[in-house]
């Protein structure tokens, strides 16, 4: 893999602690089941005709009662329909949506995972001790609107890109690295799962893998390879990406970490003071095209 960096032991330790503390994480075989099916073929971003190597949905079932009853998931799901997915189209944020963003941040800030991230960032002098200040900081990083392309109107934010997904000129899928959004879009027949992308040292992923590289189409466009955590809580992903974002001033940061059995490169791109994109890459998958 290009730009391979040495394993970051400090972050690996922190993220494993978060993983173990993530009581809201969905467990494979218990809270959901996936069917990885066939290996996806080679395809370029923007191709419309692509071989479908998976006849069925990726998600066979998900415990929806649990999704609805856990505050961080239910408040997260309420945010998913707040965005105009086409880039270049101005986002209009209503007072209701601002209230929903705040409800979500309030919910995640109550969790052990997010408190652990806050403590770590405090030690690094990258966050303020007051939770209200930290919440304001999170809001700015994730929800503040910006123009994805210079000259456009404010049409994007970190949350929309990473968790909801965007389309560019109807030909390209940007972002959409979240399993809950994937599941809900698949359930509404908006997403067509095309198959998995292999890891070099593993012939195929299995139904218990909680990080996957997959190929899919959404709103008429194909994503040749997209990486996503499966089953993790929204607070886990928020904590992980926020920590890496705040630790670096670089436009693109890649940190190699080992979380559970997964050796990952966590990629975080900044857009000024905001998150541009963030996703995990399994270190043994060959593609950088996320």
């Amino acid at each position: 893999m290009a730009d391979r960096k040495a394993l970051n032991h400090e972050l690996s330790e922190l993220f494993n602690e978060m993983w173990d503390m993530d009581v809201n994480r969905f467990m494979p075989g218990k809270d959901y089941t996936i069917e990885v099916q066939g290996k996806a073929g080679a395809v370029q971003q923007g191709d419309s005709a692509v071989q479908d190597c998976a006849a069925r949905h990726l998600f066979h079932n998900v415990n929806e009662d649990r999704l609805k009853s856990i505050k961080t998931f239910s408040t997260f799901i309420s945010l998913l329909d707040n965005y105009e997915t086409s880039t270049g189209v101005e986002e209009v944020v209503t007072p209701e949506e601002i209230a929903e963003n705040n409800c979500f941040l309030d919910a995640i800030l109550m969790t052990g995972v997010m408190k652990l991230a806050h403590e770590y960032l405090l030690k690094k002098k990258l966050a303020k001790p007051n939770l209200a200040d930290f919440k304001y900081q999170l809001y700015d990083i994730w929800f503040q609107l910006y123009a994805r392309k210079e000259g456009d109107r404010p049409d994007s934010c970190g949350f929309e890109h990473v968790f909801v997904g965007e389309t560019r000129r109807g030909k390209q899928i940007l972002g959409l690295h979240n399993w809950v959004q994937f599941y809900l879009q698949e359930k509404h027949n908006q997403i067509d799962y095309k198959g998995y992308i292999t890891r070099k040292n593993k012939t195929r992923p299995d139904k218990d893998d909680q990080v996957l590289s997959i190929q899919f189409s959404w709103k008429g466009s194909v994503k040749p390879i997209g990486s996503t955590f499966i089953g993790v809580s929204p607070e886990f992903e928020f904590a992980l990406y926020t920590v890496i974002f705040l630790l670096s001033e670089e436009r693109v940061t890649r940190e190699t970490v080992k979380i559970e059995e997964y050796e990952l490169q966590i990629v975080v791109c900044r857009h000024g003071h905001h998150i541009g994109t963030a996703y995990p890459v399994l270190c043994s998958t060959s593609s950088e095209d996320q």
Side-chain angles (χ1 to χ4, degrees):
M1 170 169 285
D3 197 20
R4 183 73 182 270
K5 282 170 72 177
L7 191 70
N8 185 321
H9 291 284
E10 184 180 304
L11 285 181
S12 296
E13 196 179 323
L14 174 70
F15 296 156
N16 275 294
E17 214 179 318
M18 286 178 184
W19 180 273
D20 293 340
M21 201 180 261
D22 192 10
V23 293
N24 292 335
R25 182 157 44 92
F26 276 44
M27 305 304 276
K30 178 172 168 265
D31 301 311
Y32 70 88
T33 36
I34 57 170
E35 288 188 82
V36 292
Q37 300 166 75
K39 179 183 174 182
V43 58
Q44 295 305 306
Q45 180 77 270
D47 284 3
S48 53
V50 55
Q51 190 185 356
D52 196 340
C53 302
R56 296 175 304 283
H57 284 180
L58 172 63
F59 284 94
H60 179 61
N61 71 291
V62 172
N63 180 344
E64 290 212 358
D65 289 341
R66 194 158 186 249
L67 273 184
K68 289 177 188 137
S69 65
I70 295 172
K71 192 77 190 282
T72 58
F73 277 109
S74 62
T75 54
F76 173 78
I77 289 167
S78 73
L79 305 182
L80 296 175
D81 61 1
N82 287 351
Y83 295 95
E84 167 54 64
T85 57
S86 184
T87 59
V89 178
E90 190 166 4
E91 291 289 352
V92 178
V93 185
T94 66
E96 289 78 20
E97 288 171 359
I98 292 170
E100 286 178 342
N101 292 344
N102 281 308
C103 274
F104 169 67
L105 290 176
D106 288 339
I108 66 170
L109 284 167
M110 297 294 289
T111 65
V113 170
M114 215 60 209
K115 284 177 177 159
L116 202 60
H118 187 218
E119 281 164 25
Y120 177 83
L121 291 166
L122 273 180
K123 272 191 280 200
K124 298 280 180 190
K125 298 191 167 44
L126 293 168
K128 294 193 172 127
N130 185 320
L131 268 187
D133 291 330
F134 185 46
K135 179 183 162 184
Y136 182 81
Q137 192 178 10
L138 290 174
Y139 199 104
D140 192 46
I141 291 168
W142 286 100
F143 292 107
Q144 193 56 51
L145 290 177
Y146 54 77
R148 195 153 278 280
K149 209 161 112 267
E150 233 174 296
D152 275 350
R153 288 164 295 214
D155 61 354
S156 184
C157 68
F159 180 88
E160 177 186 9
H161 183 93
V162 174
F163 294 102
V164 184
E166 302 175 288
T167 55
R168 180 179 284 154
R169 293 189 299 280
K171 286 196 174 68
Q172 203 181 352
I173 300 171
L174 309 174
L176 211 171
H177 296 287
N178 177 259
W179 74 273
V180 177
Q181 170 71 337
F182 190 98
Y183 163 68
L184 293 172
Q185 290 291 306
E186 193 176 53
K187 188 180 150 185
H188 296 126
N189 294 316
Q190 295 289 310
I191 274 183
D192 183 5
Y193 170 62
K194 303 291 187 190
Y196 64 87
I197 311 288
T198 48
R199 286 197 263 170
K200 285 202 191 77
N201 60 351
K202 195 171 179 175
T203 46
R204 57 175 287 148
D206 60 46
K207 61 186 187 315
D208 294 335
D209 278 1
Q210 293 204 269
V211 188
L212 286 182
S213 287
I214 53 178
Q215 190 179 98
F216 60 92
S217 65
W218 182 53
K219 302 192 175 191
S221 305
V222 173
K223 181 117 180 164
I225 174 170
S227 301
T228 177
F229 285 102
I230 306 281
V232 299
S233 69
E235 58 267 29
F236 177 82
E237 291 188 85
F238 248 70
L240 188 84
Y241 300 141
T242 300
V243 163
I244 290 177
F245 176 82
L246 288 171
L247 281 173
S248 169
E249 304 267 298
E250 299 292 316
R251 203 183 72 73
V252 180
T253 306
R254 293 184 169 90
E255 286 292 357
T256 305
V257 293
K258 192 161 193 291
I259 306 176
E260 272 285 294
E261 67 185 84
Y262 311 106
E263 194 174 320
L264 305 171
Q265 199 170 68
I266 308 291
V267 182
V268 177
C269 304
R270 64 169 51 241
H271 197 286
H273 296 295
H274 321 295
I275 281 187
T277 187
Y279 53 86
V281 179
L282 284 156
C283 278
S284 40
T285 47
S286 46
S287 179
E288 276 282 287
D289 176 18
Q290 293 290 318

